[in-house]
Amino acid sequence: MAFISTAYQPQVVESGKAEKWSKNTINYANGIRNKQFVMIIPPPNVTGYLHLGHSLMATIQDVLCRRKQQLGYETIWIPGTDHAGIATQVVVEKKLLKEKKCTRHQLGRENFVKEIWAWKDEKENKINRDLKKLGCLLNWDKEYFTMDKKQSVAVTKAFIKLFEENLIERRNSLVNWSCSLQSAISDIEVDSREINGPTIISVPNHNKSVTFGRLYDISYKIKDLDEEIVVSTTRPETLLGDVAVAVNPNDPRYQKYKEHSTMLWHPFRNEHIPLIFDANVEIEFGTGAVKITPAHDKIDFEIAERHNLNTQMSVFTEEGKINSSYEEFSNLPRFEARDKILKDLSNLGLLKGMKDHKMILPMCSRSKDVVEYMLRPQWFLKCQDMAKEAIKAVEIGKIKIHPRNFENEWFKWLQNSKDWCISRQLWWGHQIPAYLAKINDRKIWVAAESEEQAFEKVNSVLTSGKENIKITRDEDVLDTWFSSSLLPFSCFDWPKESFKNFYPLDLMETGHDILFFWVARMVMLGQKLTGDIPFKNILLNGIVCDAHGRKMSKSLGNIVMPDQVINGASFEDMKLEIEKSHNSGILSSDEMKKSVSNFKKIFPKGIPECGTDALRFTLLSHNIKSHFINFDVSECHTNRLFLNKIWQATRYTLQSFEKIKIDSSFMENLKLTSLNLCNMDKWILSRLMNTKEICYQSYDNYNFHLATQAIKTFFYSNFCDTYLETTKSAVQENSSKGVSHCIVLAICLSEGFKMMSPITPFITEELSQHIPKFSFKENTLDSTFINDKLEIEVAEILNICTSIRQLNSQNNIVKKHEPKVYLFANSNEAFELLNEYKDIISTLSQISELFLFKDSDDIKKFNYVSTAGHLCSFGIKTNEIIVKSNDNSSINIKKLTRLENDLKKLMITISSEGYKRSVNETVQSKHLERIKHLELEISKIKGISS
């Protein structure tokens, strides 16, 4: 037909719609908070492209926005991107090294930052295009970037306020340190790699690979005694910074040394260190004696503090080389120093042994460097009091977490909240607004918006005159999580009072993996800086994995991009993308080879074009609250075929209208009561209304997978495969019944498109414009059309149709055999019901003729016999003898076994302890009815099989 193509073509359908939706703007004059729905999108990092995890979050949020708009809300959904300090700096450094053969230090800070801004502009534009392509109803007029001017103002104000309330302080402390980045990193950027014995790993800034997974036994000689204590360590290079050896006070091997102070000779510092006794030492580990290196180990630091030992004896420089305090090893890379230390210990007779050892190796996820714990001056935010307020907000229900099982994790993590290291030694990020003022020998830190303001603050404290003050701004930048933690209010122009027009947000939806790194910090800083919670609800989605449940990664070569699913991609296209990443320095040669090889195995023919709606539908077909979400491209393609099924059903409906030629005025003043609705019309309307209820409840409860299941069941099974088939003869005959069918077809499509449009907006908008418009003069389509009794009745009829088709299929009976079906009703009531649906059964069973009888022994003369639920048994005759693929009796025996198992399970259920107490009467009644039906069918099938 001219007005709708013969097949669903996603690219054609989607063309132009995303651009139209992207013009969604905020009506600032509204200001009615109870009719607003406010969210911000978790900002994607400007390190690359939008991945499937982003697509899942964006789709969830877009569905919620579209549903709220259906309910009359003004939706305010703010887009933005995150500067992602470390991640972006690393990827641009790789790109520079690959393309220009230079490092950031060779380029200089100013020029390097210009390179990052250029990268940011390119990637941000691509991310935004991808979000628009997904159909997101974002308010682009309020778009932010976490380092734009407004965000910078907010970050500066927040830092100053927290600093002046003594919540931010600078101190020397142990931090996760990446030597190749020369920066502190957060816990989320530390990967714990399990090493199960000797493992060779390439470490940045080392000429050769390093072996990890060994335990070394090293001897410390006891002063004035011809004895020694052997310690076990996986990190002999830190021996230079040992300040003590510790043993457990209950270890019998060392009891004799408790009576007096025991000193041990340090082989490289020419001094003695003490033997100490501490209950935290594990007796079972190695020799039971451990070296204490507080400047490079968190537990050692705590032990050293308890015993009043020196905690500041660092071994490494920021670059990961031995510092100048140890002349013999000075400036050696740490793992080269390890080899020399082991060699020297061996020469001194102090290396007592080496063995394979399982260990956890902390690695920087960004630089792939081995993380060191280093003492460095850093800025810390005190979180304990803010954490208590965040706990309280959830306890009293001001903030609700979905799913609720994350509440316990929320309480546990916040109860153990420690100070947050918020400084990073990078060139990309918000420079910390802190100034060090020096006046003679005195130093003071102040937080200020500018150097001039810093002068004024210092001068007011010290009253020494500006000419004596030397001020330097801290070169460090803030942790990316600090600026992103302000987003619920900073993106609405905080500290201006106008931010309250949109604050707090109604919902924060994001991945569960950043519940603490981002969500908890938004709550802590939101309550502290604004006096109110940042959002009312937290919805956490799972991590998107591949079809086999594996996390998507470069090394596995299983990363699928949304674009590839939407548009389709040949293997050659995918290979080209991988090679581009390698040419840009993002992937190493080994990573590129692995990716290409694994992609060849997983997608030998590439990825078929699925379209945006199929991608959205597939993502939401999973329980998004699950810990992991396994994305299968083949499932996505199946969903494209499902959408094509709806497309074809729409074509049939339009063709039916054209054949029946219903007057437009009749549609404009539609009276459902005036239509001669048959049982199947009423049934499909009941199924429609039931499905709508399930869908809208599912949207409200964030159970999107229940909505997609309901939509698929309705359109596939109920509408296309059942109801539509029953309309064909009446439409073909152009009868009055055909008129009713056409109206019902249009109603089902129109209302069905409304309920599925939040999930699949492109195809539903396209098809909706073609459906004949109607308006009800009386009666609205509501829950009064739900008819549970009729649905049960039709379900039983459809079960009969299924049983007939199955028996035909099992015996290779096809249309050319002109199958005739003889139904034998099990009761007078069954006979009346079957007689009413006789034509429907014939149509849906795809048979030549149907004959109906009351129960009779004549059934045994048929070659093909079976039961069809509790209503009837049936036999099949054909126009020729068919060579059976299966023995009919064996088919019925299998069926009998299944029915008896079902009955047994049900009997166990109703006889279980507490059944009558815990199960309501309606359900109990249904169970008894089901038992009665099963017993009847079992007796019938035994009769025809004997």
Side-chain angles (χ1 to χ4, degrees), residues 38 86 338 416 460 476 837 916:
V38 187
I86 291 177
R338 169 192 288 189
N416 296 301
S460 66
D476 288 354
Y837 286 96
K916 288 190 176 179

Side-chain angles (χ1 to χ4, degrees), residues 399-410:
I399 298 176
K400 293 181 173 62
I401 301 177
H402 313 270
R404 287 194 63 181
N405 58 285
F406 280 100
E407 285 185 5
N408 289 334
E409 292 187 38
W410 179 270

Side-chain angles (χ1 to χ4, degrees), residues 841-859:
I841 296 171
S842 183
T843 298
L844 296 178
S845 299
Q846 300 166 358
I847 56 177
S848 299
E849 289 184 81
L850 181 73
F851 303 94
L852 176 61
F853 303 92
K854 292 190 177 178
D855 199 5
S856 168
D857 289 336
D858 289 348
I859 193 170

Side-chain angles (χ1 to χ4, degrees), residues 665-827:
S665 63
F666 178 77
M667 295 293 290
E668 290 168 6
N669 298 283
L670 188 59
K671 295 181 182 179
L672 281 174
T673 52
S674 68
L675 293 175
N676 181 24
L677 297 179
C678 70
N679 278 353
M680 293 308 290
D681 294 327
K682 294 173 184 176
W683 170 76
I684 196 63
L685 290 174
S686 179
R687 290 298 308 124
L688 172 67
M689 298 317 300
N690 259 318
T691 305
K692 281 181 69 173
E693 283 195 2
I694 292 170
C695 275
Y696 294 145
Q697 285 173 10
S698 300
Y699 294 152
D700 293 342
N701 298 325
Y702 314 127
N703 293 320
F704 307 104
H705 63 298
L706 299 182
T708 58
Q709 284 173 18
I711 288 167
K712 246 184 169 177
T713 298
F714 175 76
F715 274 112
Y716 245 143
S717 304
N718 305 151
F719 187 70
C720 294
D721 290 349
T722 303
Y723 176 72
L724 187 146
E725 292 298 322
T726 67
T727 67
K728 288 181 177 178
S729 61
V731 168
Q732 191 65 31
E733 293 164 7
N734 204 347
S735 65
S736 60
K737 198 175 179 183
V739 172
S740 298
H741 286 335
C742 283
I743 301 298
V744 173
L745 284 165
I747 289 172
C748 287
L749 288 174
S750 180
E751 293 299 307
F753 293 159
K754 285 177 189 174
M755 72 185 175
M756 68 185 290
S757 65
I759 298 177
T760 55
F762 293 96
I763 190 172
T764 51
E765 178 167 302
E766 179 67 26
L767 292 179
S768 292
Q769 63 187 319
H770 296 294
I771 297 298
K773 301 296 181 286
F774 56 85
S775 57
F776 296 115
K777 189 171 182 181
E778 60 180 41
N779 301 96
T780 56
L781 201 62
D782 56 24
S783 58
T784 59
F785 278 82
I786 293 176
N787 188 331
D788 291 334
K789 182 176 179 296
L790 179 61
E791 289 201 30
I792 292 170
E793 185 175 285
V794 173
E796 290 175 338
I797 298 301
L798 296 180
N799 179 52
I800 293 170
C801 300
T802 300
S803 297
I804 294 169
R805 289 199 305 268
Q806 283 179 346
L807 192 62
N808 279 339
S809 175
Q810 289 163 347
N811 291 284
N812 291 334
I813 300 171
V814 293
K815 191 174 182 180
K816 72 174 184 176
H817 299 130
E818 300 177 3
K820 296 176 182 178
V821 172
Y822 296 75
L823 292 182
F824 297 92
N826 292 334
S827 66

Side-chain angles (χ1 to χ4, degrees), residues 45 91 102 296 304 452 517 616 659 690 707 714 806 847 917:
N45 293 344
V91 77
C102 69
H296 297 288
E452 290 72 25
F517 295 102
R616 290 168 61 113
K659 182 169 184 60
N690 259 318
F714 175 76
Q806 283 179 346
I847 56 177
R917 185 176 64 254

